[in-house]
Structures are given as C-alpha cells and as structure tokens.
Amino acid sequence: MLLSSNKIIVYLIFMISGMVCYSLIFNSYRKKESRREKAVKIILMVYFGMNILLGIFLTLRDIKIIPSDIKSYPLIILYIQLLEVVAFHFIYIVTNKDQKLFIPVIHYIFPVLMFIIIWFFFTLLHYKTPSSGEMNRYMRPYTAFSFIFYLLFYTSLSFKYINQYHKSIKNNVTERPKKGMYWLSGIIASKIFSFLMILIVAFTSPKTGDIFYLLNFTSSSLLFCFIVYHILERNYQFLVPASNNAILAPTGHIIHGYKQDIEQVTIINKKTFEDYFRDHKPYLNTDLKITDIASAFSTNRSYLSKFINEIYGMSFSQYINNWRVHEVKQLSSLDENSSESIEEISRMAGFGSVRSYWRAVKNNP
C-alpha cells in the first residue's frame, strides 16, 4: 500500500514537472525565431506532452479508474519506443551540422511496424495463456528488454551526434563557446542512469524492481527541468555549413557549392553579404528593418530571411544583434570610449537601450 501511494506521488511529480516545462517552452515560443529554434521547441512540446499523457495513464491505472489490462502492453511498448525516438529527434535538431529539421521517417515507422507484429503474437499468446498473471510473467521481461534496446540504441546514436557537435564547436567557432555549451552530455548521463534502472527492474523481483522503476521516473522529472533551463538560457549554438560559396539565387533557393559561371545571376553570397555589413555597418541604425537590407541587395524580405536562416541558423534580428554585440566589444576597447558607460556604448552600436543589449548578449548564439 505504501509503495502504491509513493507511485502516485512520483507520477504526480512527473506530470507536474512535464506540465511546467511544457508551459515554459510554449511561452518562450516566438514567431521571430529561426526555423530551427522553432523546431527545437515544437519537438520539446511534443516530448513533454507525450510524457504528461503517460503520467496521466499510469496514475489513473494505479488508482483503478482505468483497469490494469494486460492487453495494453503492446501499446505501452510502442509509446515508450516513440518517446525515445522523439528525444533523439530533439538532440538531432540541435546538433546536426546540415541544418536538417527532420530525422529519417523510418525512425517513426519501425516502432509502428513492431507494434503490429507484437500485437499479433500477443493475441496468439493471449488465447493460449488467458491468465493475467501468466501473461504478465511473459510480457514484463519483454517490455523491459524492448525499452533497454531502444534506450541503448538511441543513447548511442545521441552520443555520436553530441560528440561530433562538441568537436565542431571546439574546432569551428570563432568566439569562445558559452560555459554551459556542454550540457547535452548530461542527457547522455541521464540515459545511462535510466538504462541501469531498467536493467534492475528487468532482473529483480517486482517489489524491488518497483523501487528502481520509481527512481527512474524521478530522474526523468529532473531531466525535464534540466533541458528546459538550458534551452531557455540558450546554452546551445547551431552549426552551419562552413562555406563562403553559398548563394541566394533569384528564385529564392539557397545553393551551396556554386560554380563561378553562375555567379552573375546571384543575388547574395555569404562573402559579399558579410562584406556589406563590415563596410557599411547598417546595424548602427537603431530603426534598421529587414526591408532596408533587402532593398540594398535588390531582393525581398522573404528571400533574405530565408538566406540568413539557412546560412547562419538564426533570424534577421538575431543576426543584426550579433553584429551590434560585436560592435559594443570593439567600441569598448577604444581608449576614446573609456569614460563612456555601457548604456551609451550600446546606443552607439545600434541598440535602442542597454536593456536590449543585455537581452541580445543572453539570447543570441
């Protein structure tokens, strides 16, 4: 009875932490963010939403509102597998250097195919073994094995992407990485902890296993908060293709690795775009709009926004603020500005206020 009460408390904490984290991500969602940032937050909302539903189901089952039906095993297995896929999808968006927003669809299709196969064999087994106790004896180890397999596979895959991401951050960034940049390794540590907990659940008695089962849910609640904190603090940096020969074509398409003979039909390429900002410093204008830059390159705001989004992995306002932050650093280093306040220097760099400057320092990658 005591263990059952503890289960409900852990499930409630699990649900509440999921709801709070979902709300924080939802409230931080901004239309002006880059497509990649939006994708990160959308996939996180899906992940937290799925965990909330799982917590509700488990709570209702434990308080006997939903019958503890052995027939739900295949569905639970499918749900656990899809949770691992969605978690990996989040890591993939943050860490991949090709700016892709979607993982191969086979990652989502395979669990569904496995569900159909498991359901078929489960139905056959159910006819031969009608007893719930017997069915539970057969299905409990398989459920644990399925979770272990998916956990191992996607933890290994996540580790591969995170490791490549950290190496790229070290080798390719021109500025010093943020202090909290390596928090993604904490997700791997949490996955390893979950793996150990599930191993214990699979190979111990149900009573002992339930204790470690609850520990796993508690660690998941902490993981939710850990992820959301770092996302809201923007402790990440999107990798972008390191090439100066990406162009914006008149059709609005972004072309990487262009040949010299099509350069005359180019609206913008990365080098000329950055040279324009370096030479003309349009960001010093506090009222600068995307249409002002679009006009300078004889294009429209949609094409220009797409170019900045794909080449730099950020929105127009973030890109402009990055230049302004850099300008503040340059101005602050000059002897002639040694007596100026940070408020005055930030205005000289194009910020409307010192508050805007500090927000840009915090929010821009």
Side-chain angles (χ1 to χ4, degrees):
M1 184 68 182
L2 182 61
L3 189 59
S4 180
S5 300
N6 288 339
K7 269 189 180 182
I8 294 170
I9 292 170
V10 171
Y11 291 155
L12 286 174
I13 293 171
F14 179 77
M15 282 189 295
I16 291 168
S17 62
M19 289 174 184
V20 170
C21 291
Y22 181 97
S23 301
L24 289 170
I25 293 295
F26 180 80
N27 289 331
S28 71
Y29 189 89
R30 299 285 183 271
K31 289 183 178 180
K32 290 184 178 181
E33 291 176 325
S34 68
R35 286 174 64 243
R36 206 164 168 186
E37 286 175 302
K38 289 178 182 177
V40 166
K41 291 183 178 179
I42 288 170
I43 204 71
L44 273 180
M45 285 190 280
V46 171
Y47 179 68
F48 291 136
M50 288 179 70
N51 277 287
I52 292 165
L53 290 175
L54 178 63
I56 291 171
F57 169 77
L58 293 173
T59 303
L60 294 178
R61 190 187 65 176
D62 266 44
I63 60 178
K64 309 301 182 183
I65 292 178
I66 294 176
S68 184
D69 194 348
I70 198 71
K71 294 177 183 177
S72 63
Y73 260 117
L75 195 59
I76 292 171
I77 292 168
L78 171 66
Y79 206 81
I80 288 170
Q81 290 172 343
L82 287 176
L83 272 172
E84 288 301 314
V85 175
V86 173
F88 168 68
H89 196 159
F90 159 70
I91 289 172
Y92 179 81
I93 296 174
V94 174
T95 59
N96 86 86
K97 58 185 177 183
D98 298 319
Q99 303 186 66
K100 293 180 179 178
L101 304 182
F102 301 100
I103 57 177
V105 72
I106 188 64
H107 288 279
Y108 287 102
I109 291 176
F110 186 75
V112 176
L113 292 176
M114 287 299 296
F115 167 73
I116 294 170
I117 295 169
I118 292 166
W119 186 266
F120 175 74
F121 284 105
F122 179 85
T123 305
L124 289 178
L125 184 63
H126 188 62
Y127 282 124
K128 292 182 179 180
T129 314
S131 165
S132 293
E134 283 293 306
M135 287 293 292
N136 187 58
R137 189 166 63 85
Y138 283 119
M139 293 303 295
R140 184 184 173 96
Y142 177 76
T143 304
F145 172 78
S146 174
F147 189 24
I148 288 168
F149 173 78
Y150 260 73
L151 196 59
L152 268 179
F153 178 76
Y154 282 105
T155 298
S156 301
L157 208 54
S158 298
F159 177 79
K160 173 189 169 185
Y161 276 91
I162 291 172
N163 191 45
Q164 290 175 348
Y165 174 77
H166 287 165
K167 286 180 180 177
S168 298
I169 291 292
K170 285 180 181 177
N171 296 334
N172 296 335
V173 295
T174 54
E175 294 187 15
R176 188 178 178 183
K178 292 182 180 180
K179 290 180 180 178
M181 191 69 74
Y182 302 104
W183 61 275
L184 287 168
S185 299
I187 297 178
I188 299 299
S190 174
K191 295 288 184 184
I192 293 171
F193 179 81
S194 290
F195 170 70
L196 294 174
M197 294 300 101
I198 298 301
L199 268 183
I200 294 171
V201 170
F203 298 106
T204 56
S205 66
K207 188 173 181 180
T208 305
D210 280 348
I211 296 171
F212 291 94
Y213 172 78
L214 294 180
L215 273 175
N216 191 39
F217 271 91
T218 305
S219 73
S220 295
S221 302
L222 295 173
L223 179 64
F224 295 166
C225 302
F226 177 77
I227 291 172
V228 169
Y229 169 78
H230 286 286
I231 290 297
L232 296 182
E233 287 293 308
R234 293 187 56 82
N235 289 330
Y236 57 91
Q237 182 169 316
F238 292 135
L239 301 175
V240 294
S243 65
N244 283 326
N245 60 346
I247 65 168
L248 172 63
T251 59
H253 293 93
I254 310 298
I255 303 172
H256 295 275
Y258 70 90
K259 296 179 181 178
Q260 201 67 27
D261 57 359
I262 66 167
E263 195 168 2
Q264 63 267 24
V265 298
T266 301
I267 295 177
I268 310 172
N269 68 50
K270 189 170 182 283
K271 184 177 183 304
T272 57
F273 189 63
E274 292 176 0
D275 285 346
Y276 174 81
F277 272 80
R278 200 172 289 109
D279 297 338
H280 298 277
K281 298 190 175 185
Y283 52 84
L284 296 181
N285 176 9
T286 306
D287 300 318
L288 181 69
K289 298 180 179 63
I290 190 170
T291 49
D292 300 330
I293 305 298
S295 297
F297 286 93
S298 301
T299 186
N300 62 53
R301 60 179 297 161
S302 298
Y303 287 179
L304 181 62
S305 178
K306 181 181 178 182
F307 177 81
I308 294 171
N309 193 300
E310 184 160 336
I311 302 304
Y312 299 101
M314 61 184 75
S315 66
F316 172 76
S317 60
Q318 288 174 325
Y319 184 74
I320 296 302
N321 283 338
N322 273 354
W323 280 96
R324 287 171 175 163
V325 169
H326 181 71
E327 186 71 17
V328 168
K329 292 178 182 177
Q330 295 294 317
L331 291 172
S332 299
S333 65
L334 298 176
D335 292 338
E336 61 197 71
N337 294 324
S338 58
S339 61
E340 301 288 352
S341 65
I342 189 65
E343 182 174 4
E344 184 58 34
I345 290 175
S346 62
R347 289 184 184 277
M348 291 164 60
F351 287 105
S353 66
V354 69
R355 201 172 164 188
S356 299
Y357 164 68
W358 289 120
R359 192 183 306 120
V361 170
K362 179 182 178 181
N363 293 336
N364 279 271

